[in-house]
Amino acid sequence: TAMQPMWIDRIVPFVPNSVYLYGSLYCLMPIAPWLMRTKDEIHHYSKGLILMSVVGYCFFVFFPTLSPRPLDINDANMLYRSMLLVDNELNAFPSLHAAYALFHGACCHAVFCSGARGKILRWVFWIWALGITATTLLTKQHVFVDVLAGSILGLGSFAVFCRPGKLSWG
């Protein structure tokens, strides 16, 4: 099924250079698990990651979707064109890029939950995660509905498995 762009998708511009922030997801993802101090924290983190992946891949297999891509990419940089070769237009709904970014932003928030330096770092990680989420629209990898579903999946997985109070973070 081809995902249909909504009004918000039409007003968000195509910004191929945002692919650098889009790809930085793979730098954000390992930060929180590297800083977790107990097996219990890693266990809850892993369950959240598995939940997002299983839900996402069930949609990809049983309800495959694709997101329309820009036709004119002549002015796009080499990294964007390379990304298109690796990351095809299938598996659009839900956006696992948005899910993973917000889940890991929330995990970083939990890891850095105390002290003045922690407050600054929490803001940095949330801005980073939200920036990655925005680039899923700016690179035209997803439409708004994909990103909304991925955001709910990522934050929901965090709420179920990793929320503060359930873990000993901090």
Side-chain angles (χ1 to χ4, degrees):
T1 304
M3 300 301 287
Q4 297 302 313
M6 298 169 50
W7 65 271
I8 194 165
D9 299 305
R10 289 188 278 280
I11 63 171
V12 173
F14 173 50
V15 183
N17 285 337
S18 64
V19 71
Y20 296 103
L21 182 55
Y22 181 84
S24 76
L25 171 66
Y26 303 106
C27 296
L28 173 63
M29 288 177 67
I31 293 171
W34 279 345
L35 297 173
M36 292 175 186
R37 291 176 268 175
T38 68
K39 286 182 185 179
D40 195 41
E41 291 171 354
I42 295 290
H43 181 73
H44 286 293
Y45 164 83
S46 299
K47 288 194 295 189
L49 197 58
I50 290 167
L51 175 66
M52 287 185 297
S53 300
V54 167
V55 169
Y57 286 106
C58 282
F59 271 96
F60 299 162
V61 170
F62 297 111
F63 307 102
T65 56
L66 63 89
S67 189
R69 297 271 176 84
L71 299 175
D72 183 20
I73 61 165
N74 294 330
D75 294 334
N77 60 50
M78 189 175 96
L79 183 59
Y80 183 82
R81 289 193 306 272
S82 298
M83 178 194 64
L84 293 180
L85 294 173
V86 175
D87 192 8
N88 65 36
E89 66 260 326
L90 294 174
N91 305 334
F93 183 91
S95 168
L96 285 184
H97 227 81
Y100 293 155
L102 294 178
F103 177 80
H104 286 89
C107 286
C108 286
H109 179 98
V111 168
F112 294 103
C113 66
S114 64
R117 185 176 291 160
K119 186 174 184 178
I120 293 168
L121 287 171
R122 287 194 313 262
W123 276 105
V124 167
F125 287 115
W126 274 119
I127 290 167
W128 188 3
L130 291 170
I132 292 168
T133 303
T135 65
T136 62
L137 296 173
L138 293 168
T139 58
K140 301 300 179 184
Q141 288 295 102
H142 294 281
V143 295
F144 181 74
V145 172
D146 304 335
V147 175
L148 180 62
S151 299
I152 292 168
L153 180 58
L155 294 173
S157 295
F158 177 82
V160 169
F161 291 111
C162 302
R163 69 182 177 271
K166 192 167 189 146
L167 299 178
S168 60
W169 298 355

